[in-house]
Amino acid sequence: MLQLDLHDRFAVVSDIHGNLPALEAVCRELAREGVEQVINLGDSFSGPLWPAETASFLRDRAWPTLAGNHEGYILSGGGSASDAFAARELGPEVIQDIARLPKSLRGRTRREASVLFCHGVPDDDCRPWLHTGKPGDYTPATRSEIARHLTPDALALCGHTHLPRVHRTRDQRVVANPGSVGLPAWLEQRVREPPPPTFLLVEQRAKLRVTVRSAPYQYEYAAQRAETNSRPEWGFRLRTGVFTAPAP
């Protein structure tokens, strides 16, 4: 497994789902924060938005990036209409790049803290770690449920649920989810303004500090793009943060 040399301050993003305006907003916030190292936990392209443009944007930045479950669907030809749309738009060169993406990574900070990066849980990119249930019906996982997947690492970072959460174990290990850049969701399913794109800022001080940060953007532009591409349910999700159907 590739081992990353991590800065004492880095960011983690996940679940971009081809939402380029949201990704650009996050990058502006990262620049404002002076963050130079970013790791991407996957599900970067699937969705009726801007998969090819997102792929070009990410290639220019060369962030360490994982394959999430939707990258697997794009490669296999399975999955949903979102995966099929992305596969058509991305083209063979990007598909080849996706095939080379790892499912997990490990890194070590300059103070020798070991960090695990995965999309779901360490051995399954379709399984949520910090929540239980299914999209649209998640609840926070309990301490015992989280502990089932713990590794010896000081910090484990996961995505998949589109819901940010930071959990510290009794022995001071941390498991954290940055939420979603491209399709952020509310845990409570009620129609209102959507949550902003979120990411994690990790800082190595006397102990690891992990905080959820956000970067608001013009979500209506993305919602209209989804509707133009014949996906009104995505428009609803982008406007509300409410998931009334299975995963995108």
Side-chain angles (χ1 to χ4, degrees), residues 61-112:
R61 280 146 187 80
W63 295 343
T65 295
L66 301 184
N69 57 301
H70 282 280
E71 274 75 39
Y73 301 149
I74 288 170
L75 292 174
S76 69
S80 66
S82 295
D83 305 306
F85 178 89
R88 289 194 303 271
E89 293 287 311
L90 289 171
E93 185 176 353
V94 176
I95 297 295
Q96 289 174 8
D97 290 342
I98 289 173
R100 290 190 284 267
L101 294 176
K103 287 185 172 291
S104 62
L105 290 169
R106 270 199 165 85
R108 190 168 293 276
T109 70
R110 292 168 182 170
R111 298 191 187 188
E112 294 301 305

Side-chain angles (χ1 to χ4, degrees), residues 37-213:
Q37 186 176 43
V38 183
I39 293 85
N40 174 12
L41 303 183
D43 278 9
S44 299
F45 313 109
S46 177
L49 301 176
W50 296 273
E53 295 86 347
T54 298
S56 178
F57 188 93
L58 290 174
R59 177 178 282 183
D60 288 345
R61 280 146 187 80
W63 295 343
T65 295
L66 301 184
N69 57 301
H70 282 280
E71 274 75 39
Y73 301 149
I74 288 170
L75 292 174
S76 69
S80 66
S82 295
D83 305 306
F85 178 89
R88 289 194 303 271
E89 293 287 311
L90 289 171
E93 185 176 353
V94 176
I95 297 295
Q96 289 174 8
D97 290 342
I98 289 173
R100 290 190 284 267
L101 294 176
K103 287 185 172 291
S104 62
L105 290 169
R106 270 199 165 85
R108 190 168 293 276
T109 70
R110 292 168 182 170
R111 298 191 187 188
E112 294 301 305
S114 177
V115 183
L116 169 70
F117 302 91
C118 60
H119 183 74
V121 295
D123 60 353
D124 189 343
D125 58 19
C126 288
R127 193 169 181 180
W129 194 342
L130 292 177
H131 297 85
T132 59
K134 297 180 180 180
D137 193 29
Y138 280 127
T139 58
T142 64
R143 282 186 176 275
S144 62
E145 288 169 334
I146 294 168
R148 292 173 192 164
H149 307 289
L150 284 175
T151 62
D153 303 282
L155 174 62
L157 297 154
C158 60
H160 188 57
T161 64
H162 298 212
L163 297 166
R165 186 181 178 190
V166 178
H167 171 81
R168 190 175 290 273
T169 68
R170 291 190 174 95
D171 63 359
Q172 298 304 298
R173 282 177 287 175
V174 176
V175 184
N177 187 324
S180 173
V181 171
L183 196 61
W186 292 116
L187 184 59
E188 298 178 9
Q189 298 291 291
R190 60 180 184 269
V191 177
R192 53 178 170 173
E193 288 289 299
T198 53
F199 62 95
L200 291 176
L201 184 62
V202 181
E203 298 170 285
Q204 175 74 79
R205 299 182 179 179
K207 63 178 183 178
L208 283 168
R209 180 186 179 193
V210 184
T211 55
V212 178
R213 300 296 182 92

